[in-house]
Amino acid sequence: MLNYLKVEQQLVSSGKPRQDYPTLFGKIKNAKTTAGKKLSAEHAEYEAAFFSNLEMYYKADDAQRKEKFNLLISTCVQCHEHECPGPISTINSYRVD
C-alpha cells in the first residue's frame, strides 16, 4: 500500500493520470492478523471507509482529485491510530499540498 501511495502522490502532484485501480487491495478483507494481535471492534468500519474513499478517489474529477487523495490518506491514518501506529508518519508524508 505504501508503494501505491508514494506513486499516486507523485502522479497527483504532477497532474498525471491515476494508476490502475489497485485490485490487490481487496486482499485486505481476507488478510490474517499478526499472531497475538486482535483487531479493534471498529476495524470493519475502517476497512469499509477505506474502500469507500478509494472508490470516491477513482471517481473524482481533476478538481477534486487532491482532496479525495488526502481523504484516502486520512482514512489510512485513522485506522492505523487504532490498529498499528508504526507507519503513520510515513503515511502522512504522502499528503499532497
Side-chain angles (χ1 to χ4, degrees):
M1 290 181 95
L2 289 175
N3 287 337
Y4 166 83
L5 293 175
K6 183 178 183 178
V7 171
E8 201 61 31
Q9 175 203 37
Q10 294 167 352
L11 295 172
V12 171
S13 295
S14 63
K16 294 182 180 176
R18 294 168 185 83
Q19 299 175 75
D20 290 339
Y21 186 90
T23 56
L24 288 176
F25 286 1
K27 290 184 176 186
I28 293 169
K29 297 174 183 179
N30 299 317
K32 295 181 181 183
T33 58
T34 303
K37 170 78 172 131
K38 286 189 173 185
L39 297 175
S40 71
E42 299 86 5
H43 183 78
E45 293 172 34
Y46 295 130
E47 185 179 292
F50 171 78
F51 283 103
S52 175
N53 289 336
L54 183 63
E55 290 291 328
M56 285 194 301
Y57 172 69
Y58 272 86
K59 291 178 181 176
D61 61 25
D62 289 342
Q64 297 175 319
R65 187 171 171 205
K66 181 169 54 170
E67 173 191 346
K68 298 302 181 188
F69 180 74
N70 285 334
L71 179 62
L72 184 62
I73 295 290
S74 294
T75 305
C76 294
V77 169
Q78 289 170 354
C79 181
H80 277 277
E81 286 174 339
H82 296 274
E83 302 295 348
C84 177
I88 289 176
S89 62
T90 302
I91 295 167
N92 272 324
S93 74
Y94 296 131
R95 291 186 190 276
V96 179
D97 295 328

